[in-house]
């Protein structure tokens, strides 16, 4: 009889520990689901998550890079235009100097 009580107590203790472990696993599963939803997004709630934010950031970076390229091209054109104008001015000055020396 005493052995039966001992085994019954052990079984109850094991059952209690098993229930505690199941609760902990459920809690871990819930937290893991929240982390996955935060990273990948949730299709049910239509939240984008971190990966969608990264995609939006990549698109914005591409837009900024394109704007920077356009700015660089504009700067090159302005530089070349100023250089050509100065070159033409120097040629005109040279020809006027040569022409005035000839007269």
């Amino acid at each position: 009889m005493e052995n039966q009580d001992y085994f019954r107590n052990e079984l109850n203790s094991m059952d209690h520990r098993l229930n505690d472990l199941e609760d902990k696993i459920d809690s871990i599963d819930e937290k893991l689901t929240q982390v996955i939803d935060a990273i990948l997004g949730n299709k049910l709630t239509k939240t984008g998550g971190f990966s969608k934010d990264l995609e939006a950031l990549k698109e914005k970076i591409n837009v900024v890079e394109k704007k920077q390229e356009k700015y660089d091209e504009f700067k090159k054109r302005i530089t070349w235009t100023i250089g050509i104008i100065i070159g033409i001015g120097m040629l005109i000055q040279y020809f006027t100097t040569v022409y005035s020396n000839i007269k």
Side-chain angles (χ1 to χ4, degrees), residues 13 19 23 36 38 41 43 45 47 56 60 71 86 99 102-103:
S13 174
N19 287 336
D23 290 342
I36 290 172
K43 292 184 181 186
T45 60
T47 55
K60 288 180 181 179
Y71 174 75
I86 290 174
Y99 181 73
I102 291 175
K103 279 191 163 189

Side-chain angles (χ1 to χ4, degrees), residues 69-103:
E69 287 175 9
K70 287 181 183 179
Y71 174 75
D72 288 342
E73 287 178 27
F74 175 75
K75 198 166 94 174
K76 284 180 186 177
R77 280 190 233 142
I78 293 295
T79 303
W80 275 101
T81 302
I82 291 172
I84 289 171
I85 291 172
I86 290 174
I88 290 172
M90 290 174 68
L91 278 173
I92 291 172
Q93 182 181 3
Y94 174 74
F95 286 132
T96 55
T97 306
V98 168
Y99 181 73
S100 65
N101 284 341
I102 291 175
K103 279 191 163 189

Side-chain angles (χ1 to χ4, degrees), residues 6-102:
Y6 173 75
F7 287 124
R8 198 170 285 139
N9 285 338
E10 281 298 314
L11 284 174
N12 285 337
S13 174
M14 284 184 185
D15 188 44
H16 180 67
R17 285 184 287 188
L18 182 61
N19 287 336
D20 286 345
L21 286 175
E22 287 174 348
D23 290 342
K24 288 179 183 178
I25 288 174
D26 288 341
S27 174
I28 291 171
D29 183 49
E30 183 179 320
K31 289 176 183 176
L32 182 59
T33 302
Q34 289 173 349
V35 168
I36 290 172
D37 287 346
I39 293 172
L40 300 178
N42 187 336
K43 292 184 181 186
L44 294 176
T45 60
K46 297 191 178 173
T47 55
F50 186 65
S51 62
K52 186 167 183 170
D53 292 342
L54 284 177
E55 291 298 322
L57 188 60
K58 285 179 185 178
E59 290 176 20
K60 288 180 181 179
I61 288 173
N62 285 337
V63 168
V64 169
E65 286 176 344
K66 287 178 184 176
K67 286 182 179 180
Q68 181 66 38
E69 287 175 9
K70 287 181 183 179
Y71 174 75
D72 288 342
E73 287 178 27
F74 175 75
K75 198 166 94 174
K76 284 180 186 177
R77 280 190 233 142
I78 293 295
T79 303
W80 275 101
T81 302
I82 291 172
I84 289 171
I85 291 172
I86 290 174
I88 290 172
M90 290 174 68
L91 278 173
I92 291 172
Q93 182 181 3
Y94 174 74
F95 286 132
T96 55
T97 306
V98 168
Y99 181 73
S100 65
N101 284 341
I102 291 175

